Amino acid sequence: MNTRVTVKTKDEITRIKQLQKEIEQLKKLLLKKDMDALMDESYLEVAAEQLGYKSVLELKKKLNIKP
């Protein structure tokens, strides 16, 4: 029978909680960044369509924007 005993100090517990909060914040930030990129791409698609371009890539080439 294997038994594992873990002893943690208050400082370790506090640090673990801080790191868990930081992980949650980073996840939210990454999600926001992904959503912002998706919105930007959507705006470019609409702009390309309204300006008469066949694709976003064509619009980016015309505007000298690297894809």
Side-chain angles (χ1 to χ4, degrees):
M1 178 185 226
N2 295 331
T3 304
R4 181 185 292 185
V5 176
T6 304
V7 178
K8 295 181 182 175
T9 64
K10 287 183 181 180
D11 290 340
E12 289 175 325
I13 293 171
T14 302
R15 181 68 177 143
I16 289 170
K17 288 181 181 179
Q18 288 173 343
L19 290 172
Q20 288 172 336
K21 285 181 184 179
E22 186 176 341
I23 288 170
E24 286 302 314
Q25 289 173 342
L26 290 171
K27 285 180 181 179
K28 289 177 184 177
L29 184 62
L30 182 59
L31 180 62
K32 183 184 181 314
K33 184 177 181 268
D34 287 345
M35 292 300 292
D36 288 346
L38 183 61
M39 284 180 42
D40 289 344
E41 189 66 25
S42 296
Y43 284 132
L44 280 175
E45 287 175 7
V46 170
E49 183 180 319
Q50 289 181 349
L51 293 172
Y53 292 99
K54 293 178 183 178
S55 67
V56 172
L57 186 60
E58 186 180 335
L59 174 62
K60 287 181 178 181
K61 284 180 182 179
K62 180 68 176 176
L63 297 174
N64 247 355
I65 299 174
K66 293 183 180 178

